[in-house]
Amino acid sequence: MAKNEDVFKKIVSHCKEYGFVYPSSEIYDGLAAVYDYGPNGVELKNNIRDYWWKSMVQKHENIVGLDAAIFMHPTVWKASGHVDAFKDPLIDNKDSKKRYRADVLIEDYIEKLEEKTNKEVAKARKKFGEKFDEKMFRETNPRVLDTQKKIDGITKRFADLINNNDLKGLRSLIEELQIACPVSGSRNWTDVRQFNLMFSTQMGSLSDDANSVYLRPETAQGIFVNYLNVQKTSRKKLPFGIAQIGKAFRNEIVARQFIFRMREFEQMEMQYFVKPGDEVEWYEYWKEERVNWHQALGIPKDKFRLHDHDKLAHYANAAADIEYEFPFGFKEVEGVHSRTDFDLSAHQKVSGKKLQYYDPDTKESYVPYVVETSIGLDRMFLAILANSYEEETLEDGSERVVLKIPPLVAPVKVTVLPLVKKDGLPEKAKEIMDTVKNDFMCQYDEKDAIGRRYRRQDAIGTPYCITIDHQTLDDNTVTIRERDSMKQDRISIEKISGIVREKIGKGV
Ligand code: ATP
């Protein structure tokens, strides 16, 4: 098993063992690509959600919030283009009977070619040592150039096929590249077909003429159809934004990689309404802002990369993904999209209701353009966990698994531990706990030896452990142990909240 795959498996089982994420309906063998968040998971998720909300809504005076319903009038999805265009091309392998996204098969193939080049580069770096000039190597090495030419050729063809909805062409490309099914190893493929990703259900009683409604595949449309309500009631001038957090549903064909690709997930989206013509400037602005947001959490810069789209969604004129390097490679965590006036114009046309903005400066009315930032809460959760998970061998030779979660979003901030379960220490510890829990999410733990209790807290990423011992009863001091350094200091009880608050406030 590849090392990274191994790490990923460990993270998945760690999530279950420590109450972060469980498979849905597990006693019935689970439901594919649906997951439940346990006690620690829900805290981490809430904290990421709050961090996003504060940085978008609280810190931007021109961004306001919204909480639209999941069900919407079915015509919304016709107007938005989702009924006709929210589709993935799927292909089946006749031998394994496994279903794949045709586009993903080709993307994976391109990624393998890129890996090949990266291996060449790593090999050369090792060989030439400090003298190695990567740029020059990439620009001159014949094998690297050859592979790059191949990548560029396939990428260009692939983008054309997708943009022209050419399903036959996609199949031919898969055959030409001799892509085999990872399960059966065969190249016995069906035709490529389109598959709409929206879930539908019935609204109203069955005896009536029940209406089909969709479970929203993105939260954004709730913002668009409320655009005028919000603009008028909050009296915002352009540019201004509407932010929303909520569940979205997609009947993903290939549901894999744990909570990375789920059928029910949560999005944190912000639609920024701007004057037509200003969208490129704002698109660039939000790309940078969002990359900075990720980095403010303390995840190393080189774990992220920006990927500009070759294939644009039906509503966009420019789009980029912010990708995180998961154990299974660089993958999208967030999209920044320039959606033009596509959505508002479409809703205006189909509903017959004006969705325009009266510009008091120019005295004109127009449909605003939109720049969107859209991040998956569950993917961010996974990125944070993957970045935090570490296995360490300590000085005494023992091992610990520690989640170095940014303190700001850690599920539990402080755990209070009486050194022993007697001599009045538990009573004193509970007294401290009762004060500190007013400020932070705290835990109390008196079971097992102190070392084991520290390990349990390391495993869920608790930044601070407070230990109450016999000296505490004499002089009101405790030891405070920091998760990453494992350093312990003796401090007075009144200082606990201040120290913890300072650490959390930094955001890293
Ligand atoms: P992908 O290409 O990975 O399917 P997408 O480009 O369709 O993603 P968007 O429509 O841009 O995704 O959605 C915005 C964000 O919502 C994504 O960046 C991702 O974080 C999240 N997201 C989308 N689909 C899923 C899913 N099935 N499970 C979890 N998160 C998702």
Side-chain angles (χ1 to χ4, degrees):
M1 201 185 318
K3 193 166 170 284
N4 284 345
E5 231 174 276
D6 199 13
V7 170
F8 187 52
K9 285 203 166 160
K10 284 183 184 171
I11 293 172
V12 176
S13 56
H14 191 87
C15 275
K16 190 173 161 211
E17 189 179 344
Y18 287 94
F20 283 90
V21 183
Y22 314 121
S24 157
S25 335
E26 202 189 3
I27 56 169
Y28 294 102
D29 295 333
L31 181 66
V34 185
Y35 291 91
D36 299 338
Y37 286 83
N40 289 317
V42 73
E43 293 298 332
L44 174 57
K45 204 174 166 200
N46 285 345
N47 293 341
I48 302 171
R49 197 191 280 117
D50 286 352
Y51 173 54
W52 185 88
W53 191 262
K54 280 195 181 137
S55 59
M56 293 306 248
V57 181
Q58 192 172 321
K59 293 196 180 164
H60 288 93
E61 287 163 39
N62 67 343
I63 299 182
V64 291
L66 177 74
D67 184 11
I70 288 172
F71 290 133
M72 300 181 77
H73 193 287
T75 313
V76 166
W77 304 107
K78 187 75 194 149
S80 69
H82 284 78
V83 170
D84 296 320
F86 195 57
K87 294 170 177 166
D88 276 340
L90 68 86
I91 189 166
D92 293 339
N93 183 270
K94 290 184 194 162
D95 298 316
S96 66
K97 310 270 184 270
K98 290 273 173 208
R99 180 161 288 177
Y100 298 92
R101 266 172 63 176
D103 54 337
V104 172
L105 285 179
I106 297 168
E107 277 166 7
D108 285 351
Y109 182 89
I110 295 172
E111 213 172 286
K112 279 202 191 110
L113 290 178
E114 282 167 351
E115 265 167 34
K116 196 173 141 192
T117 297
N118 291 341
K119 274 191 192 144
E120 293 268 6
V121 172
K123 218 167 84 189
R125 179 176 293 118
K126 211 167 156 195
K127 188 167 154 199
F128 294 113
E130 278 184 7
K131 284 183 293 177
F132 182 62
D133 180 342
E134 179 173 337
K135 189 164 176 284
M136 194 171 86
F137 182 78
R138 283 185 184 268
E139 283 169 3
T140 53
N141 180 280
R143 274 194 308 275
V144 170
L145 287 176
D146 208 40
T147 311
Q148 194 53 46
K149 201 169 146 205
K150 207 167 160 193
I151 292 174
D152 293 344
I154 299 170
T155 308
K156 165 90 183 59
R157 250 181 87 193
F158 175 50
D160 288 346
L161 293 171
I162 289 284
N163 288 332
N164 295 327
N165 227 343
D166 184 347
L167 303 183
K168 278 207 171 88
L170 277 178
R171 182 178 172 185
S172 309
L173 186 57
I174 288 172
E175 279 178 346
E176 230 175 272
L177 299 175
Q178 305 196 347
I179 296 175
C181 165
V183 176
S184 66
S186 92
R187 299 198 283 265
N188 195 6
W189 296 110
T190 62
D191 287 341
V192 177
R193 282 168 296 146
Q194 290 285 25
F195 177 81
N196 195 299
L197 299 177
M198 283 196 294
F199 284 101
S200 64
T201 184
Q202 308 301 312
M203 187 172 257
S205 68
L206 279 181
S207 52
D208 294 332
D209 235 0
N211 276 324
S212 265
V213 287
Y214 297 102
L215 296 185
R216 66 181 177 199
E218 61 174 26
T219 61
Q221 296 305 323
I223 295 180
F224 295 131
V225 298
N226 275 298
Y227 152 73
L228 261 195
N229 282 338
V230 176
Q231 193 265 324
K232 287 198 168 140
T233 49
S234 59
R235 291 174 293 114
K236 293 287 174 209
K237 282 171 76 176
L238 292 190
F240 80 97
I242 305 178
Q244 169 162 240
I245 300 176
K247 290 270 179 142
F249 305 83
R250 296 182 187 179
N251 197 1
E252 299 279 1
I253 300 164
V254 188
R256 52 175 183 177
Q257 288 154 341
F258 191 39
I259 57 170
F260 178 81
R261 190 174 297 287
M262 296 197 283
R263 296 199 164 109
E264 173 181 341
F265 57 99
E266 200 160 335
Q267 288 185 315
M268 307 192 284
E269 297 199 299
M270 194 280 296
Q271 310 295 326
Y272 203 67
F273 299 89
V274 305
K275 203 173 162 179
D278 288 354
E279 72 277 10
V280 176
E281 188 191 322
W282 285 113
Y283 169 67
E284 294 302 330
Y285 170 86
W286 280 110
K287 267 203 307 199
E288 197 182 321
E289 274 285 300
R290 295 305 304 149
V291 169
N292 292 343
W293 181 87
H294 287 273
Q295 267 147 34
L297 266 182
I299 302 180
K301 226 176 173 157
D302 62 358
K303 283 283 193 178
F304 288 103
R305 73 177 187 197
L306 260 178
H307 170 79
D308 289 311
H309 275 212
D310 301 314
K311 160 193 159 192
L312 290 174
H314 61 276
Y315 50 74
N317 73 352
D321 294 340
I322 299 172
E323 298 183 335
Y324 172 78
E325 190 178 17
F326 288 99
F328 42 85
F330 273 101
K331 298 278 174 206
E332 171 178 349
V333 173
E334 171 158 8
V336 182
H337 308 128
S338 172
R339 293 183 81 127
T340 68
D341 61 348
F342 178 89
D343 302 270
L344 288 181
S345 290
H347 288 306
Q348 177 170 270
K349 192 165 154 227
V350 177
S351 69
K353 309 272 171 22
K354 274 215 156 49
L355 292 176
Q356 299 194 342
Y357 172 76
Y358 175 73
D359 190 329
D361 301 329
T362 63
K363 314 251 180 299
E364 289 169 291
S365 287
Y366 50 77
V367 177
Y369 269 45
V370 172
V371 175
E372 155 185 270
T373 70
S374 174
I375 171 169
L377 176 50
D378 314 87
R379 284 194 191 172
M380 191 61 207
F381 181 107
L382 185 59
I384 287 178
L385 270 186
N387 189 64
S388 307
Y389 183 91
E390 279 184 29
E391 292 170 357
E392 288 180 350
T393 306
L394 307 180
E395 273 172 17
D396 65 1
S398 65
E399 309 250 321
R400 74 163 181 165
V401 171
V402 51
L403 293 185
K404 295 187 174 169
I405 300 178
L408 180 72
V409 293
V412 176
K413 309 294 189 216
V414 180
T415 291
V416 180
L417 316 158
L419 186 63
V420 287
K421 237 195 308 185
K422 54 182 187 186
D423 305 337
L425 297 189
E427 289 75 11
K428 185 73 184 168
K430 287 211 171 116
E431 210 180 278
I432 295 173
M433 167 88 183
D434 281 343
T435 316
V436 183
K437 79 180 180 196
N438 290 319
D439 294 331
F440 310 106
M441 182 54 79
C442 294
Q443 267 187 8
Y444 173 83
D445 189 3
E446 59 177 26
K447 196 171 171 285
D448 299 324
I450 193 78
R452 282 188 71 179
R453 283 183 270 163
Y454 285 152
R455 291 291 164 277
R456 271 205 293 269
Q457 294 304 319
D458 288 343
I460 64 166
T462 306
Y464 285 114
C465 287
I466 304 289
T467 307
I468 284 80
D469 55 19
H470 292 94
Q471 193 183 329
T472 312
L473 302 179
D474 295 336
D475 65 4
N476 267 337
T477 61
V478 293
T479 55
I480 182 163
R481 172 189 181 269
E482 199 271 330
R483 177 193 69 198
D484 300 351
S485 62
M486 292 183 289
K487 214 171 132 267
Q488 301 195 18
D489 287 322
R490 191 127 206 132
I491 57 162
S492 66
I493 290 172
E494 309 88 77
K495 287 202 172 148
I496 299 173
S497 286
I499 292 177
V500 177
R501 186 167 296 113
E502 197 202 343
K503 179 88 173 175
I504 295 167
K506 280 184 193 150
V508 289

